[in-house]
Amino acid sequence: MAQIIIATHGGLSKGMLDSLHMVAGGAADGIETYSLEFGQNPNDYYEELRERIAATEEQFIIMCDIKGGSVHNALFRLTELPNVVIFSGLTMGMALEIALTAREGLDADAAQRVLDAAREGVTVAFGGETPDEEEDEDF
């Protein structure tokens, strides 16, 4: 079974997990959160996780909020270990796809499906425009 972690600046990770529980119910059980608070150093969490991950063959799937942010930069170094997958640009679609489909781990194809689901959920609409028929079909 894969270990899933949502790692963000501030309380975003806890809020995302709370929302996942509302939408996915028990599929969100066991997902961990890491919230970098003011005054904390993400390298401390990296060290803690590195030790934990190196001691097992279990896959760790980590979703970070911002590519290139301090949380992502610190945890991205974990990819030196073969059992780590790091995502950046956290969205609800990404978190939901991982919670529902990745409990047994991810391979490259499954990781691409996660990215596709996250990208598909990012859209924009301007008021006053006629909605596209295809956009409404999802609801």
Side-chain angles (χ1 to χ4, degrees):
M1 182 169 212
Q3 296 293 315
I4 301 170
I5 300 171
I6 301 171
T8 67
H9 295 83
L12 178 61
S13 63
K14 293 174 185 158
M16 182 66 74
L17 183 57
D18 183 54
S19 295
L20 271 177
H21 276 291
M22 287 184 72
V23 176
D29 290 349
I31 294 177
E32 296 176 44
T33 62
Y34 168 69
S35 299
L36 179 67
E37 301 296 343
F38 285 109
Q40 291 182 320
N41 186 334
N43 290 315
D44 294 340
Y45 188 60
Y46 158 80
E47 293 293 338
E48 176 187 322
L49 265 183
R50 188 181 192 303
E51 195 172 303
R52 206 171 125 200
I53 294 168
T56 184
E57 292 182 14
E58 204 167 22
Q59 188 178 56
F60 279 71
I61 302 167
I62 303 169
M63 296 174 274
C64 297
D65 53 357
I66 301 171
K67 180 181 179 183
S70 57
V71 173
H72 178 258
N73 287 345
L75 300 184
F76 187 80
R77 296 182 351 226
L78 293 168
T79 60
E80 68 191 359
L81 301 169
N83 54 333
V84 173
V85 180
I86 301 270
F87 289 91
S88 63
L90 175 66
T91 68
M92 184 65 168
M94 174 191 293
L96 190 57
E97 186 73 16
I98 288 173
L100 294 174
T101 67
R103 297 308 249 181
E104 298 304 315
L106 289 173
D107 60 17
D109 289 337
Q112 186 60 53
R113 285 191 299 276
V114 169
L115 288 179
D116 292 344
R119 288 180 180 129
E120 188 175 306
V122 177
T123 64
V124 64
F126 288 91
E129 294 182 0
T130 305
D132 184 0
E133 297 278 331
E134 286 183 22
E135 291 290 325
D136 288 342
E137 286 181 16
D138 291 338
F139 302 99

